[in-house]
Amino acid sequence: MTRKSTVMPATAEQGSILRIMLAIGSLLVLAVVVSPLEAAQDTASEQPSNIMYREVNGQQLSAHMFRPPMRGEGEKFDAVLLFHGGGWNAGTPEWSFDTARRFADWGMVAIAIEYRLSGGDVTPIEAFEDVCESIRWVRNNAADLGLSGRVVGYGVSAGGHLVAASGTVGCPDSEIEGDRSAPDALLLWSPALDVATDGWFARMLQGRVAVSDYSPAERVTRTTPPTSIVIGAEDTLTPLSGARRYCNRLVSLGGVCELNVYERVGHLLTRNLANQEGDFDPDPEAMADGIERHRQFLIELGFISNP
């Protein structure tokens, strides 16, 4: 495993992206297994508390919350919201539960978010609205949830696109004074960042908007949150070119973008380069290093402490 990591505090490339990623293994490969201990012990609890954060068109959408162990009375925590992958039309919050437990063990309240999946009249536009509303819900209810109000967005593949869009495209009504629908930082794993010319994503949108309007790499601004990206150099589903373009634009505007590139691996850091839509064979060394890069990024930004 070879990693090229670039932290760019201040200094562009096109790619075509995504097709469907249906296998449950696509998210489970990111899991770090933890023991089912009680919350009062030294790891996060095994099962989350589930809260409805939104009801839309008769569908109730849930937030699955994992709290850190050894909580002090009245202590408030920063939150990380997790958005699973699945090509915008597949997946469940459970895919990110093990990753959420890891964040909780690091000292954050980790919340795996359910969003609407594309199909019928639902498109990624509706999923994006759900992402925005979940961030607003956390901030608006921070006091009741025991949270500080600071929010990190974590997304994998299509989920990485959706949460990155909240910090680039901008959420509906984000121009309203006092709106806080963008995360304070972004952690992205094999994210779909340049979808302007991607045929699969365009079909998902059903012609309702211009595809480039929902492409994070096209919409980076100087207010885009600090971002850490983990990606395989040989990724054919969410190509490295899109991540580079995003990072270069953010840095050129004076922002912060850390690009962690792993050689000889593909989507979700799989070693199986011939089939990157299933039959995943993630490189364990690359995965461990990518997880550590994200942890260090959170430490540098002050979200967690170094034990």
Side-chain angles (χ1 to χ4, degrees):
M1 181 275 296
T2 303
R3 174 176 63 86
K4 295 180 180 178
S5 179
T6 306
V7 180
M8 300 179 288
T11 115
E13 202 161 308
Q14 186 101 320
S16 74
I17 314 195
L18 283 204
R19 289 179 292 155
I20 191 168
M21 186 176 61
L22 290 173
I24 285 183
S26 65
L27 248 289
L28 296 182
V29 295
L30 300 182
V32 173
V33 178
V34 296
S35 300
L37 302 178
E38 296 297 325
Q41 294 179 300
D42 61 355
T43 57
S45 58
E46 180 73 6
Q47 297 302 321
S49 56
N50 302 325
I51 306 173
M52 184 185 74
Y53 75 89
R54 189 182 196 201
E55 183 172 0
V56 55
N57 296 330
Q59 182 177 356
Q60 295 182 346
L61 299 173
S62 298
H64 305 264
M65 187 177 302
F66 294 83
R67 292 190 174 275
M70 307 299 291
R71 301 187 300 274
E73 185 175 354
E75 187 174 3
K76 296 188 181 298
F77 295 91
D78 296 336
V80 55
L81 274 61
L82 295 88
F83 302 94
H84 63 82
W88 297 282
N89 70 343
T92 72
E94 285 78 8
W95 287 10
S96 58
F97 276 12
D98 283 333
T99 306
R101 293 183 184 101
R102 181 177 69 243
F103 280 116
D105 285 339
W106 290 350
M108 302 184 75
V109 170
I111 308 173
I113 296 295
E114 178 184 13
Y115 59 84
R116 284 172 287 175
L117 301 176
S118 293
D121 294 332
V122 177
T123 73
I125 298 172
E126 283 70 36
F128 177 53
E129 292 172 357
D130 297 337
V131 170
C132 293
E133 288 304 313
S134 70
I135 298 169
R136 290 185 177 121
W137 173 79
V138 165
R139 289 215 172 99
N140 291 340
N141 296 278
D144 293 337
L145 295 172
L147 302 175
S148 68
R150 293 209 304 167
V151 174
V152 173
Y154 174 90
V156 177
S157 196
H161 162 265
L162 293 171
V163 72
S166 70
T168 53
V169 173
C171 289
D173 301 323
S174 59
E175 72 280 0
I176 296 175
E177 185 177 355
D179 180 79
R180 301 178 64 208
S181 53
D184 296 295
L186 292 168
L187 302 177
L188 308 177
W189 196 285
S190 299
L193 294 175
D194 190 350
V195 294
T197 60
D198 180 69
W200 172 260
F201 184 69
R203 287 193 294 275
M204 292 285 102
L205 288 175
Q206 301 180 26
R208 288 173 48 185
V209 296
V211 180
S212 60
D213 288 348
Y214 279 78
S215 183
E218 302 283 338
R219 305 299 292 262
V220 171
T221 70
R222 59 186 166 206
T223 62
T224 294
T227 304
S228 177
I229 301 172
V230 168
I231 193 166
E234 306 301 323
D235 195 324
T236 57
L237 296 183
T238 58
L240 173 58
S241 58
R244 281 183 174 151
R245 189 168 183 231
Y246 175 102
C247 264
N248 287 342
R249 287 193 170 191
L250 179 51
V251 167
S252 70
L253 294 170
V256 174
C257 192
E258 174 186 273
L259 183 59
N260 302 287
V261 182
Y262 297 86
E263 303 295 335
R264 298 185 295 279
V265 294
H267 195 58
L268 305 180
L269 307 186
T270 184
R271 293 176 290 194
N272 183 2
L273 301 182
N275 179 13
Q276 297 189 31
E277 298 184 51
D279 193 20
F280 291 100
D281 178 29
D283 183 280
E285 187 179 352
M287 283 187 56
D289 191 80
I291 290 168
E292 179 60 16
R293 293 307 97 206
H294 276 174
R295 189 180 76 88
Q296 289 297 327
F297 196 71
L298 291 174
I299 291 171
E300 291 166 8
L301 295 178
F303 287 98
I304 61 176
S305 58
N306 200 0

